Amino acid sequence: MNKSRIGLLDVVALTADLPEYNLYRGQVGTVVELLAYGAAFEVEFSDRNGRTYESVGLRPEQIMVLHFEPTSPDSVSEMMPA
């Protein structure tokens, strides 16, 4: 399970295959609804043109939040110099 708090509009990736929805590990979606007081999440998967092709309720252990910036000062020090 992801230790980061998952919030509305977070960009997430699947951590498990969901073949019944034609979704597979690594696919990226957006949290569009908090379900069961944050115990589950409605995640919308869209194509490059912004058209939704699937929307499904997921448990926290099925997704991970993607980070586009360092999440802590420690993570910066672990980066290799160019």
Side-chain angles (χ1 to χ4, degrees):
M1 183 168 102
N2 183 13
K3 304 259 188 257
S4 296
R5 180 170 163 83
I6 301 170
L8 191 61
L9 302 179
D10 278 347
V11 177
V12 297
L14 284 175
T15 59
D17 293 340
L18 300 172
E20 64 273 26
Y21 297 105
N22 201 29
L23 296 171
Y24 298 92
R25 185 173 167 232
Q27 282 187 270
V28 176
T30 303
V31 175
V32 295
E33 185 89 34
L34 303 179
L35 306 172
Y37 302 102
F41 309 90
E42 185 76 17
V43 178
E44 187 174 275
F45 296 87
S46 302
D47 65 18
R48 292 178 190 260
N49 296 314
R51 289 181 290 231
T52 300
Y53 59 86
E54 191 62 71
S55 185
V56 63
L58 299 170
R59 297 181 313 274
E61 62 270 14
Q62 294 176 295
I63 56 178
M64 63 180 288
V65 176
L66 299 181
H67 300 279
F68 299 97
E69 300 290 333
T71 57
S72 72
D74 296 338
S75 64
V76 174
S77 64
E78 294 172 9
M79 294 170 51
M80 301 286 286

